[in-house]
Amino acid sequence: MDFRQYVGKLEREGNLLRIRKVVSGDLEAAAVLKTAEPNPVLFENIKETKGFRVVGNVFCAKESIAKYFGITTADLIPKITKAIDQRNQPEEIKNAPCQEVDMGTVDLNKLPILRHTKQDGGKYISSAVVVTRDPEYGQNLDFHRAMQISNNKMSTRIVEGRDFHKFLERNGEVEAAYCVGNTANVLVAAAISVQTGIDEMYIANALEKTRVTKAKSVNLLIPADCEVVLEGRVFMKERAAEGPFIDITDTFDVIRQEPVFEVRKITHRRDPIWQALLPGALEHKLLMGMPKEPTIFKKVTEAGVRCLDVNVNPGGCSWLHAIVKIDKKNEDDGKKAVLAAFEGHKSCKHVFVVDKDINIYDPLQVEWSMATRFQADRGLVNKGKEPGSSLDPSAEPGTKITNKVGFDLTAPIVTKGKSFSRAEFPKADLKKYVEE
Ligand SMILES: Cc1cc2nc3c(=O)[nH]c(=O)nc-3n(C[C@H](O)[C@H](O)[C@H](O)COP(=O)(O)O)c2cc1C
């Protein structure tokens, strides 16, 4: 299913808010998206640009990603794990939908690039899946926000350590395609961090058949069915101010001198749909955190603990916290799971391990575990200071040094005092008791 087919499906099912009124791409569209969150919204008329519809809030919850793939949320971790292991080559096609129209002379002002908040450094592309290539490692997919700085240039945030950053270090300048308007297969695959040299497009194809096509002006294979493609080059040495921009901690990231993306060609589908992605909001958080769940699950399982599910939850910015549900068999399983979870997600700051009777998507139940099953002297794992996430405002300034702590919230196997089971009431069908 491509992006517009999925948007159509959302509308048929009554899950899309269609806005016909003229809306400004300068703050107003973002305000509507934030207010409507988590409901998907389609804007028919963006004031500053012609010919583009804009859709946002498409994948704000795990349920929406699971629904896209036709599975339950519990099946997501196994599906993503299998796709990483069984990744395979996508079909390459000619005459791709994403190249139906060539916009000619590049003018970024013709695209409905949104400005999200007053404090932002400018208009930002935040949903683009970025395709790059290194002569030795081959292709890579990831996300890089890009702030418009002129008619044809953007400054783009490339965190040190990312594959794209490695490619830039090695080559000085790198061809890139910023692809907008993608479905969950491509978005999730791009958000996954695997060994350098693995083309995440293969993972996208294992999640769902994904067609690719040759970009027009750069030597890259891009998602054939996406909506808009910005092709060009990114330079390691040519830099420009980037930021402020809201990151997933709901705080503003600082202004940095970041590489410049020079856009040389723009192609799009006929009647194009621009995909908006609200920075710091639920969709951004979900796409950041969810791909870490399979890696945590794997490490906990490898540590010999029966892992049942993992939630890198929005309350923890979908990055700094992980809740791990285990089927506890040994007294030390909780602590083992804590340490393994940190191995599976290096940016994580706090890990919470709970028993199998706890719903890890219900913060009240997780807190209930802490209140009733946790004692700090036996359940607290203080790892001390080590590198965590650069996004954490509480990390040591200018570094990502943070104090990592895990909480074993599981009940002891052998109960000495009160029971640890949750009390259950009998159930009643209220309809039977209400007069017609
Ligand atoms: C919505 C979204 C936006 C992101 N924005 C950026 C960004 O601006 N810069 C960056 O370096 N990483 C960003 N990331 C994180 C990377 O894209 C992500 O960690 C990716 O998996 C790294 O891929 P790699 O291992 O191939 O380098 C973003 C992730 C998501 C889901």
Side-chain angles (χ1 to χ4, degrees), residues 126 140-145 157-159 161-164 190-194 200 277 283-284 287-288 319:
S126 47
N140 184 69
L141 297 191
D142 49 17
F143 285 85
H144 297 279
R145 68 197 191 217
R157 169 77 175 132
I158 304 171
V159 176
R162 301 269 190 260
D163 287 343
F164 190 1
I192 289 172
S193 216
V194 277
E200 285 95 351
L277 191 144
E283 190 173 19
H284 186 184
L287 288 169
M288 282 290 284
W319 198 242

Side-chain angles (χ1 to χ4, degrees), residues 308-325:
L308 301 176
D309 202 0
V310 180
N311 184 15
V312 178
N313 62 318
C317 309
S318 295
W319 198 242
L320 302 176
H321 287 180
I323 308 167
V324 181
K325 173 153 141 169

Side-chain angles (χ1 to χ4, degrees), residues 391-418:
L391 298 174
D392 179 3
S394 76
E396 280 180 14
T399 75
K400 49 183 187 178
I401 298 298
T402 193
N403 194 147
K404 296 190 179 182
V405 176
F407 303 85
D408 175 6
L409 310 183
T410 59
I413 291 175
V414 180
T415 309
K416 293 200 180 112
K418 277 187 81 172

Side-chain angles (χ1 to χ4, degrees), residues 90-100 211-216 221-225:
E91 179 197 355
E92 186 180 332
I93 64 156
K94 291 197 164 68
N95 304 319
C98 68
Q99 295 170 334
E100 282 166 349
R211 307 189 305 171
V212 295
T213 197
K214 277 204 176 74
K216 290 282 182 197
L221 288 170
I222 55 176
D225 296 293

